[in-house]
Amino acid sequence: MVQPAARVQRSAEAVLAYVRDAPGTYAWLIILLVNKIILDQFSPRFRYHFVLHHSTNLRELSHQPVQVLISSALWLDGGHWWPYLILYSTFHAPVERWLGTGRWLAVIVIAHVGATYLSQSVVYYNIRHGTAPPSAAFIPDIGVSYALAGAEGVLAYLITAPWRYLYAATLVIYYGAALLSDRTFTDVGHFAALLLGFACYPLARGRTGAWDPLVSLRSAWRRLRSG
């Protein structure tokens, strides 16, 4: 029987090893946390104008595209930070550990930039055809969800068949349902980012099919039974 103190130490060492193997993911999380703490100190009016200035809307993309594409991925548009800790640990960290930091970064850049321009193209089209007011070019658009959807997409190639197809279908249904029901530009962006994640298969070639959920569950069950 493993002593409680030894079990805690072993668990802590496993967590630290997990974090060390995904340095980009957890550095990003720290930046998001620090920036959120800073932004929360200011008034709602200041926060709104700050977010607007760092948004990847049509106006900002036409004036300072590189700056806002970078800065928009470093801030959270409201809400709590801790859900992102869970989501990043569940999706970004496994992708980074599996592909390596360089390829992981390539995936999130492709998803973030590609989905941003595709979604804002919808806004531009709607403005040009009169189905959206000109003020739509100034709608705030900030956050990390496009990159997250891209990471979720490419993660499908880590999972062995047939679970890979079940996982991918679940993602398509989740993001597709939002797209069909709401049809906002952000829904377009999320679905596009997911597809871009799927399209990053060349970055995952040679590293596919490494994780079998059933094997992991059996291993976890044996560890629990052995104490």
Side-chain angles (χ1 to χ4, degrees), residues 21-49:
D21 287 344
T25 295
Y26 291 99
W28 193 4
L29 276 169
I30 291 171
I31 292 171
L32 291 174
L33 176 60
V34 172
N35 286 348
K36 176 173 175 53
I37 292 172
I38 293 172
L39 200 57
D40 285 348
Q41 308 308 309
F42 298 99
S43 67
R45 180 179 177 84
F46 176 87
R47 288 200 299 269
Y48 174 79
H49 287 288

Side-chain angles (χ1 to χ4, degrees), residues 64-75:
Q64 46 184 359
V66 176
Q67 180 178 329
V68 295
L69 282 168
I70 296 173
S71 63
S72 65
L74 302 178
W75 302 87

Side-chain angles (χ1 to χ4, degrees), residues 61-203:
L61 281 173
S62 65
H63 285 76
Q64 46 184 359
V66 176
Q67 180 178 329
V68 295
L69 282 168
I70 296 173
S71 63
S72 65
L74 302 178
W75 302 87
L76 299 177
D77 185 13
H80 299 286
W81 175 81
W82 63 264
Y84 292 94
L85 174 61
I86 297 173
L87 290 170
Y88 273 47
S89 298
T90 303
F91 298 106
H92 276 301
V95 172
E96 185 178 3
R97 287 163 52 91
W98 168 50
L99 294 181
T101 300
R103 293 189 182 195
W104 163 78
L105 186 59
V107 170
I108 64 175
V109 168
I110 290 169
H112 176 62
V113 175
T116 294
Y117 275 101
L118 285 169
S119 62
Q120 289 302 315
S121 295
V122 172
V123 176
Y124 178 77
Y125 178 89
N126 289 336
I127 293 174
R128 286 291 302 272
H129 289 79
T131 55
S135 60
F138 298 86
I139 295 176
D141 184 20
I142 195 171
V144 298
S145 56
Y146 294 164
L148 179 62
E152 291 170 345
V154 77
L155 188 63
Y157 301 115
L158 171 63
I159 305 171
T160 57
W163 313 111
R164 173 186 307 165
Y165 307 114
L166 178 62
Y167 169 81
T170 301
L171 290 174
V172 170
I173 292 171
Y174 175 77
Y175 286 110
L179 176 62
L180 293 175
S181 61
D182 297 330
R183 289 180 288 186
T184 65
F185 74 89
T186 55
D187 295 316
V188 172
H190 289 140
F191 196 77
L194 175 66
L195 296 183
L196 288 168
F198 289 151
C200 286
Y201 171 73
L203 293 172

